[in-house]
Amino acid sequence: MLAASVVFPLLVFCYASWVNYHAAFDRADERIKQALDLSAEQALRVFRSIGVTFDSVEQITRGRTEQTIHTAEAELSERLKQFVNALPDIGSVWILNAQGDAIVSSLFFPLPPAANGPERAYLKGQLARDPELHIGEVQRIQMTGALIIPVSKWRTDSSGTFSGFTEISVWPQAFERFYQPLAERTSASFALIREDGAILARYPVPAVTGIKLDASTGFRQLVARSPEGGEYT
């Protein structure tokens, strides 16, 4: 009887511990899913706003040649500043010619020679290679020292022919500031990661240039296996 009186409470304690252990994991998974849904919706809002800005730039440049854009630099620079002021998540908007050289900027008027210096070659490599919106890797701009995510899209002339690019510089902090309250009082970390593994923003460790997850990581394998979403441990 003495052995039974010891074993039975022990079994009850073990069962209760097992239930609590799994319940804690379930609660953690639920919090992670809620935070994921919120951060995904925020990223979609940011990129929808960027899409509207691309359309707006297309409208104010439609029918203009590179020369007429140059001529209207003051007017167009002011219009681009208005777009930036309306969207706190972006740092600047640039109109580029077909070679990727800057013609008009929301950041500078008139454009300084350094805007098209040799050091801009690294940014040209991040421009869209087709008509679809392209999200580049995190870059540090030498003229300002700022970290940006360059997002670009082709511009077309009145006949629909490629005539240059629009480039929007997005702050990584736009996402990292959003992640901060989600991570408070938890050990959670957040990251915005491009499909090829390039890290665009993260918290609590801020984004830096040149960080890319290897294809062998669990996250990259999950994306390849289930691009619509999922989870792994």
Side-chain angles (χ1 to χ4, degrees), residues 143-167:
M143 289 179 63
T144 63
L147 280 178
I148 65 156
I149 304 168
V151 183
S152 58
K153 192 174 182 182
W154 286 8
R155 286 185 299 103
T156 57
D157 60 21
S158 55
S159 67
T161 304
F162 167 72
S163 61
F165 305 88
T166 300
E167 188 267 316

Side-chain angles (χ1 to χ4, degrees), residues 11-26:
L11 289 174
V12 171
F13 175 76
C14 290
Y15 175 73
S17 298
W18 181 85
V19 169
N20 288 335
Y21 175 80
H22 285 278
F25 270 89
D26 290 342

Side-chain angles (χ1 to χ4, degrees), residues 66 96-103 116 120-121 123-125 127 155 162-165:
E66 181 177 344
L96 314 176
N97 65 16
Q99 291 73 47
D101 294 319
I103 311 173
N116 287 313
R120 270 188 60 89
L123 192 54
K124 289 184 180 183
L127 295 174
R155 286 185 299 103
F162 167 72
S163 61
F165 305 88

Side-chain angles (χ1 to χ4, degrees), residues 173-192:
Q173 302 96 308
F175 305 98
E176 293 164 352
R177 285 195 302 266
F178 187 83
Y179 300 153
Q180 183 176 358
L182 295 179
E184 284 181 353
R185 295 184 298 278
T186 76
S187 59
S189 60
F190 291 80
L192 179 66

Side-chain angles (χ1 to χ4, degrees), residues 14-205:
C14 290
Y15 175 73
S17 298
W18 181 85
V19 169
N20 288 335
Y21 175 80
H22 285 278
F25 270 89
D26 290 342
R27 288 195 298 272
D29 286 344
E30 182 60 29
R31 286 197 298 270
I32 289 171
K33 185 179 185 305
Q34 290 173 351
L36 175 64
D37 290 343
L38 288 171
S39 55
E41 180 57 35
Q42 186 258 354
L44 287 173
R45 283 199 303 270
V46 171
F47 284 105
R48 285 193 196 106
S49 298
I50 290 169
V52 171
T53 304
F54 279 123
D55 292 342
S56 299
V57 175
E58 182 75 20
Q59 288 177 8
I60 66 173
T61 58
R62 184 171 294 140
R64 297 180 189 250
T65 65
E66 181 177 344
Q67 183 57 46
T68 58
I69 289 175
H70 267 301
T71 304
E73 182 183 355
E75 171 204 342
L76 292 174
S77 179
E78 187 59 37
R79 294 289 298 276
L80 298 185
K81 285 180 185 177
Q82 293 172 9
F83 298 152
V84 172
N85 291 337
L87 294 173
D89 299 325
I90 67 177
S92 58
V93 181
W94 297 72
I95 298 173
L96 314 176
N97 65 16
Q99 291 73 47
D101 294 319
I103 311 173
V104 182
S105 168
S106 66
L107 205 56
F108 303 106
F109 174 77
L111 279 176
N116 287 313
E119 64 273 11
R120 270 188 60 89
Y122 67 92
L123 192 54
K124 289 184 180 183
Q126 299 296 320
L127 295 174
R129 297 171 180 82
D130 58 47
E132 299 301 318
L133 181 147
H134 177 72
I135 302 170
E137 298 180 21
V138 172
Q139 302 290 317
R140 186 174 296 280
I141 302 303
Q142 296 183 18
M143 289 179 63
T144 63
L147 280 178
I148 65 156
I149 304 168
V151 183
S152 58
K153 192 174 182 182
W154 286 8
R155 286 185 299 103
T156 57
D157 60 21
S158 55
S159 67
T161 304
F162 167 72
S163 61
F165 305 88
T166 300
E167 188 267 316
I168 297 177
S169 299
V170 183
W171 302 123
Q173 302 96 308
F175 305 98
E176 293 164 352
R177 285 195 302 266
F178 187 83
Y179 300 153
Q180 183 176 358
L182 295 179
E184 284 181 353
R185 295 184 298 278
T186 76
S187 59
S189 60
F190 291 80
L192 179 66
I193 305 175
R194 208 169 61 173
E195 188 177 17
D196 66 352
I199 295 179
L200 305 178
R202 61 184 181 180
Y203 184 87
V205 180

